[in-house]
């Protein structure tokens, strides 16, 4: 949804009247945060970030992700690196969609290129990995979980519920033969370990979902909390360590994600998991299971975009790339399961 001039003016008047934030100007779009529209807003109180759903997704459920993101970020602020939450608004008369405002954080999201000020040596890459896992550990150290974030007892079944959900979705909407969706999914469901703890989990944690200080390896803010929930924190640890320092000789699903770590000699995912365990005091006995689960779940979710591509509803480089990315993610999940003696 593009903010046209009349809406921008209405937004500025509302923000001044209701929140006392004057001189708001929507300056330009910001990259990242693909599920929602993200814009830079200049105000009398300094720069802020406006987030709202795209116009073509507005429905009775519109803004659920934005509301969730704001609720979780508000609970985390001051305890782990997130952008300071300013306000959430679900009055559709203002912008036509629910929206949130957070304090702008200057930083760089890393995919395949390090910030220019960073050295390109192994020690720097290791430091990036340390910063990435330390920021995650600070989220998982928040205990007890704030009561307003959800039902802790229900959270204990998150993994199994996710597996059954995505098995059913993929079975009902199959456009190609992906036997590992069912084969590995059935095994994961039958062998899910009981959680040692329930914590806030990001559910999509990897290097390009954080803003790194462009001068030194330090996470300034974790982004994109619209999928956040309560679950076993190894859900996050499994994904970030499975994506870190992968073997580029193998077909890689989403090869661009954390590409900077896919070089010989960089600290591996197991070492990062051990660092997380030392910081949180929690066990990583089942991290192999959660690595396999994370890659399987990611494959099952993004296959939905490939289905839309095959049905002619979308046609972009991302969707076309899923023809190889999804099978590669499933193969990687199977290799991890086999390596751990789980399948």
């Amino acid at each position: 949804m593009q903010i046209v001039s009349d809406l921008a003016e209405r937004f500025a008047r509302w923000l001044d009247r209701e929140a006392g934030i004057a001189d708001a100007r929507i300056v330009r779009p910001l990259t990242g945060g693909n599920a929602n529209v993200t814009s830079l807003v200049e105000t009398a109180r300094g720069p802020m970030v406006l987030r709202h759903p795209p116009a073509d997704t507005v429905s009775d459920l519109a803004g659920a992700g934005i509301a969730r993101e704001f609720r979780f970020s508000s609970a985390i602020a001051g305890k782990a690196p997130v952008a300071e939450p300013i306000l959430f608004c679900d009055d559709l008369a203002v912008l036509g969609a629910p929206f949130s405002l957070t304090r702008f954080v200057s930083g760089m999201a890393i995919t395949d290129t390090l910030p220019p000020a960073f050295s390109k040596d192994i020690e720097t890459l290791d430091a990036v990995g340390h910063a990435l896992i330390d920021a995650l550990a600070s989220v998982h150290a928040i205990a007890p979980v704030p009561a307003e974030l959800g039902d802790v007892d229900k959270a204990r079944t998150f993994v199994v519920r996710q597996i059954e959900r995505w098995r059913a979705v993929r079975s009902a909407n199959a456009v190609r033969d992906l036997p590992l969706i069912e084969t590995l999914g059935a095994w994961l469901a039958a062998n899910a370990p009981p959680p040692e703890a329930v914590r806030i989990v990001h559910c999509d944690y990897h290097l390009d979902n954080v803003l790194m200080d462009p001068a030194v390896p330090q996470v300034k803010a974790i982004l994109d909390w619209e999928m956040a929930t309560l679950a076993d924190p190894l859900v996050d640890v499994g994904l970030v360590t499975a994506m870190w320092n992968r073997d580029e000789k193998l077909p890689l699903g989403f090869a661009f994600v954390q590409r900077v770590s896919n070089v010989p000699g960089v600290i591996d995912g197991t070492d990062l998991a051990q660092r997380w365990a030392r910081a949180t005091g929690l066990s990583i006995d089942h991290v192999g299971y959660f690595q396999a689960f994370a890659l399987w779940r990611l494959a099952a979710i993004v296959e939905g975009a490939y289905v839309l591509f095959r049905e002619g509803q979308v046609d972009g480089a991302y969707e076309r790339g899923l023809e190889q990315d999804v099978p590669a993610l499933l193969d990687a999940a199977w290799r991890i399961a086999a390596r751990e003696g789980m399948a």
Side-chain angles (χ1 to χ4, degrees), residues 79-304:
K79 302 170 185 174
V82 295
E84 178 191 349
I86 304 298
L87 64 81
F88 171 78
C89 175
D90 59 4
D91 182 356
L92 302 188
V94 182
L95 283 182
F99 64 88
S100 69
L101 268 182
T102 59
R103 187 74 61 191
F104 176 79
V105 177
S106 179
M108 179 174 177
I110 299 172
T111 53
D112 56 359
T113 304
L114 289 171
F118 283 26
S119 300
K120 305 304 187 286
D121 53 33
I122 295 299
E123 289 76 13
T124 299
L125 291 174
D126 287 353
V128 170
H130 292 159
L132 184 64
I133 205 70
D134 289 351
L136 183 63
S138 70
V139 173
H140 294 160
I142 298 172
V145 171
E148 67 271 17
L149 295 184
D151 184 337
V152 171
D153 288 336
K154 183 179 179 182
R156 296 183 183 280
T157 65
F158 172 81
V159 169
V160 172
R161 286 186 287 111
Q162 284 285 293
I163 295 167
E164 297 305 340
R165 173 188 177 185
W166 292 109
R167 285 173 71 189
V169 169
R170 294 282 66 89
S171 175
N173 299 276
V175 295
R176 56 175 166 169
D177 186 25
L178 294 171
L180 285 179
I181 290 283
E182 179 56 29
T183 303
L184 187 52
W187 186 90
L188 288 166
N191 291 275
E196 175 187 358
V198 169
R199 296 287 191 269
I200 296 169
V201 299
H202 183 277
C203 268
D204 192 26
Y205 191 78
H206 42 76
L207 189 56
D208 63 341
N209 266 343
V210 306
L211 286 178
M212 194 73 66
D213 188 311
V216 294
Q218 179 179 343
V219 172
K220 298 190 71 175
I222 303 171
L223 306 176
D224 296 350
W225 288 91
E226 62 262 43
M227 294 173 64
T229 191
L230 303 182
D232 190 321
L234 288 176
V235 168
D236 283 341
V237 179
L239 179 60
V240 71
T241 59
M243 299 291 278
W244 183 267
N245 195 7
R246 295 179 289 171
D247 185 352
E248 282 203 316
K249 296 188 293 296
L250 299 170
L252 298 180
F254 297 139
F256 67 92
V257 176
Q258 297 183 180
R259 176 175 282 167
V260 297
S261 71
N262 296 338
V263 295
V266 174
I267 188 171
D268 64 24
T270 300
D271 289 331
L272 291 184
Q274 290 171 345
R275 184 181 178 95
W276 174 89
R278 290 192 295 272
T280 62
L282 298 172
S283 168
I284 56 169
D285 289 347
H286 301 295
V287 71
Y289 171 93
F290 281 93
Q291 289 173 338
F293 164 75
L295 296 183
W296 177 91
R297 176 177 177 266
L298 178 58
I301 291 172
V302 300
E303 176 67 5

